[in-house]
Amino acid sequence: MVRGGVREDRCRPGVREAGDGGGDGQHDAGSGPKENGAPASEPQGGGQHGGGGRERGSAPGGPRRRRRVLRWSATVLAVLILGTAGAGYLYYEHLNGNIKKDDLNLGDKEIAGPTPNAAGQTPLNILLIGSDARDTKENQKLGGAKETFGGTPLADVQMLLHLSADRTNMSVISMPRDTLLQIPKCTDPDDGEVYPASAGPVMTNQSLGRGGPGCTVAAWQELTGIRIDHFMMVDFAGVVSMADAIGGVPVCVDANIYSKDSQGHGSGLKLKEGTTYVKGEQALQWLRTRYGFEDGSDIARAKAQHQYMNSMVRELRENATITNPNKLRNLAEEATDALTVDDGLGTVKKLYDLSTQLRGVEPERITMTTMPYTYVGARVIPKEGDAEQLFRLVRDDIALDGKDEKKPATEETSSDPAAPEDEIGVLVQNGTRTSTLGPVGGRASTVRGLLVEKGFTRTTADQTTAAAEDETVVRYPSAELEGDAQAVARALGIPLGQVEKSTDVSGVTLVVGADWREGTAYQAKKEDDTTPESADALNGADKKACMKVDPNFTW
């Protein structure tokens, strides 16, 4: 796996015109990248990059407020102008009517929200979805593969955007589209059709076809344990229209690239070595390119997407490019028309309120990552240990850039008094299985014996194998049993942070996890709050990021 190209400082000082790109208009089959390499056609002009539309600034002394409106965060490009685009109530209602809405979560499992910080703030988690739907002539033209017109759409881009509770930093996790996971049961809100949980691991991008984006949300929540507050979905045409409206975004390759092979595979992206401003169709080509970037995998494509998004944020913050009322109106039209969101983001005001929270994050506090993975044939699965660590950091609202102020850990003791040890009923389950190791035989019985020795004589061992748990956990179903559960944890040296309320149990339940496969004394592992190296983190302020080009796709 080639991993080093993103950070190589290979960019030349000259900036290329977006019109340097091109292609021959052929298409891949299936859901592969588009092959029409023709760049968006726009007049060229002085002071513009990439073929037009990128005004270098507003009139001298222009209002600072307009520049502040542009200080927003990387991925939700659709919201940056919504607060200033309305020219009256009717136009406001027109924009509201553009926005398409769908249900947030089609699964049947709820995940508790995070605990507010000392200031009463909670983090915000938004799932960003790129659909490959060929449901319109425009999407068909951009996506190619004529035989797939009207077929089941796939969620080919999935990114979780996490905004910290104090709104000072942002983390993004990309999940490769070919990640194998268990998709939960989902119910289509339109016709009531029930999609049963997948019989086994399937590619995550199939989740979108099981009732809509709410099933993709459900799959993410079940895998990561992170509660998702909103989703935003955009298709091919939406990406092109918004990229055109915003103007050029600089991207870098370390050699000339032409993403096309003799069999017609590739996006058609054609760029010269160095930095080029891309927009419109060429921006879509960049975001969809696999063939030609590094090893041609979905992992490499995620890196290119991160580079584009970070560059876009810096451009919008450094240059007030959209001060012309007509451009503002155009971007408002394109943005609202391109988006599908949940009801919680379903109006211009709600989107603008979101942008207000996002735009305060400095690029230096934005961290783009890819879910740590392990290959299984041509597909990937979450990497044991590293993936869960990344998910935990987000669940616990720990900044991935490592710049959070460290605070001593505190454990809250329940106000509910525990019953005497010999009156507390405990069920011990064996969850020691891992992705590579089977469960340890008799482990539940061994730990049951430890509890009996400590006075918990009403403890029983479940002889069946429980669902795998990375970490030993004590669960309880209701508030009146919280004190009892904490008493069990203290008796075995299990941190109170591993005691949790759950409707999946009917009494105090101890699940022995993979972190306690042997021995009679539980060793609580020291928390490592660093972002795993395998997450391939890219800082939002990194201007040296440059995609490494496969020599087989250079010219």
Side-chain angles (χ1 to χ4, degrees):
M1 187 69 183
V2 181
R3 308 194 61 82
V6 170
R7 292 179 176 77
E8 293 186 27
D9 184 11
R10 299 290 301 275
C11 301
R12 291 184 175 178
V15 176
R16 309 294 182 187
E17 296 289 338
D20 287 344
D24 60 10
Q26 296 182 5
H27 300 276
D28 267 349
S31 61
K34 176 189 176 298
E35 296 304 326
N36 186 347
S41 177
E42 288 235 1
Q44 304 285 328
Q48 295 178 337
H49 295 275
R54 189 170 178 277
E55 298 176 8
R56 268 301 178 191
S58 58
R64 289 187 177 181
R65 180 174 178 276
R66 286 182 177 172
R67 291 182 181 272
R68 286 199 301 270
V69 168
L70 296 172
R71 292 174 184 167
W72 62 300
S73 173
T75 51
V76 195
L77 63 162
V79 300
L80 81 159
I81 46 73
L82 297 177
T84 59
Y89 178 76
L90 292 178
Y91 187 63
Y92 175 81
E93 288 302 306
H94 165 72
L95 291 178
N96 281 337
N98 283 349
I99 302 170
K100 297 176 287 292
K101 295 181 282 292
D102 213 323
D103 286 33
L104 173 62
N105 189 347
L106 305 186
D108 54 9
K109 291 185 179 180
E110 291 291 332
I111 291 183
T115 302
N117 63 15
Q121 302 166 302
T122 54
L124 193 64
N125 296 305
I126 305 170
L127 188 62
L128 309 174
I129 303 171
S131 166
D132 78 341
R134 274 83 166 177
D135 53 355
T136 66
K137 290 183 178 180
E138 189 174 8
N139 277 331
Q140 183 65 49
K141 178 183 177 183
L142 292 167
K146 294 180 180 179
E147 68 277 7
T148 66
F149 184 81
T152 303
L154 300 172
D156 269 358
V157 176
Q158 299 177 33
M159 297 183 180
L160 180 66
L161 183 155
H162 172 84
L163 182 62
S164 65
D166 62 8
R167 304 305 191 252
T168 63
N169 66 86
M170 182 186 302
S171 305
V172 174
I173 302 176
S174 288
M175 184 188 295
R177 67 172 181 172
D178 54 2
T179 299
L180 298 176
L181 51 75
Q182 193 87 21
I183 298 179
K185 171 186 173 183
C186 292
T187 303
D188 190 323
D190 293 330
D191 56 16
E193 181 176 357
V194 176
Y195 296 85
S198 59
V202 298
M203 284 176 59
T204 182
N205 64 353
Q206 296 181 24
S207 58
L208 184 59
R210 294 171 171 255
C215 193
T216 307
V217 168
W220 267 81
Q221 288 198 160
E222 190 148 313
L223 174 68
T224 66
I226 300 168
R227 179 175 176 175
I228 295 175
D229 303 290
H230 301 292
F231 75 81
M232 302 181 77
M233 184 170 71
V234 66
D235 58 17
F236 295 150
V239 171
V240 171
S241 62
M242 289 193 291
D244 264 336
I246 288 174
V249 170
V251 294
C252 176
V253 288
D254 73 347
N256 295 349
I257 182 174
Y258 184 28
S259 178
K260 190 172 184 180
D261 65 13
S262 57
Q263 285 77 45
H265 298 132
S267 69
L269 179 72
K270 190 173 185 180
L271 298 175
K272 291 183 179 180
E273 177 184 353
T275 299
T276 303
Y277 276 76
V278 297
K279 58 180 292 188
E281 273 193 64
Q282 202 170 37
L284 177 64
Q285 289 174 337
W286 175 274
L287 294 169
R288 299 190 69 207
T289 293
R290 285 190 299 124
Y291 294 95
F293 284 158
E294 300 193 358
D295 62 352
S297 70
D298 198 42
I299 310 300
R301 173 160 53 188
K303 291 182 182 180
Q305 291 166 353
H306 295 165
Q307 184 187 139
Y308 178 92
M309 292 161 63
N310 282 340
S311 295
M312 180 185 64
V313 172
R314 294 194 300 269
E315 281 296 296
L316 292 173
R317 293 177 66 90
E318 294 170 4
N319 304 289
T321 59
I322 308 176
T323 58
N324 183 291
N326 288 331
K327 286 192 174 184
L328 283 170
R329 188 175 300 109
N330 181 46
L331 183 50
E333 290 282 355
E334 300 294 356
T336 54
D337 193 52
L339 287 173
T340 300
V341 300
D342 63 281
D343 285 334
L345 292 178
T347 68
V348 170
K349 183 181 184 305
K350 290 175 180 177
L351 288 170
Y352 181 66
D353 288 344
L354 172 63
S355 75
T356 301
Q357 298 182 66
L358 294 174
R359 66 180 179 240
V361 181
E362 298 287 338
E364 292 80 4
R365 299 305 312 278
I366 297 173
T367 307
M368 300 278 177
T369 65
T370 298
M371 179 197 75
Y373 60 89
T374 299
Y375 272 104
V376 177
R379 310 301 181 197
V380 300
I381 59 173
K383 183 176 182 179
E384 184 176 342
D386 283 10
E388 172 54 29
Q389 181 174 336
L390 185 64
F391 299 153
R392 178 186 64 80
L393 293 178
V394 172
R395 280 198 306 268
D396 294 347
D397 196 27
I398 298 171
L400 300 187
D401 61 8
K403 296 178 182 178
D404 271 349
E405 180 182 348
K406 299 298 180 182
K407 299 177 181 178
T410 59
E411 293 187 339
E412 288 191 19
T413 301
S414 173
S415 59
D416 171 58
E421 285 84 350
D422 59 359
E423 295 180 13
I424 298 176
V426 185
L427 177 66
V428 182
Q429 295 182 329
N430 184 352
T432 56
R433 180 191 300 274
T434 74
S435 61
T436 56
L437 299 172
V440 178
R443 194 62 185 149
S445 296
T446 299
V447 175
R448 172 197 173 274
L450 297 176
L451 282 171
V452 170
E453 289 178 4
K454 294 179 181 295
F456 294 87
T457 54
R458 295 183 59 193
T459 300
T460 58
D462 189 343
Q463 299 305 314
T464 62
T465 300
E469 293 284 349
D470 291 332
E471 188 175 67
T472 298
V473 63
V474 183
R475 297 190 171 107
Y476 62 94
S478 53
E480 62 269 18
L481 292 179
E482 182 180 16
D484 294 355
Q486 289 191 353
V488 171
R490 288 194 189 92
L492 295 175
I494 299 170
L496 296 188
Q498 293 165 223
V499 178
E500 60 185 37
K501 185 177 179 180
S502 172
T503 56
D504 292 336
V505 298
S506 57
V508 176
T509 303
L510 167 64
V511 184
V512 184
D515 61 343
W516 198 13
R517 288 175 60 88
E518 59 185 12
T520 56
Y522 180 75
Q523 299 292 327
K525 62 180 180 181
K526 296 180 180 179
E527 293 290 7
D528 179 4
D529 289 343
T530 59
T531 300
E533 186 176 349
S534 57
D536 203 24
L538 178 65
N539 186 268
D542 185 355
K543 296 182 179 181
K544 297 181 179 180
C546 201
M547 290 304 296
K548 185 174 182 180
V549 175
D550 181 342
N552 294 316
F553 289 85
T554 193
W555 55 279

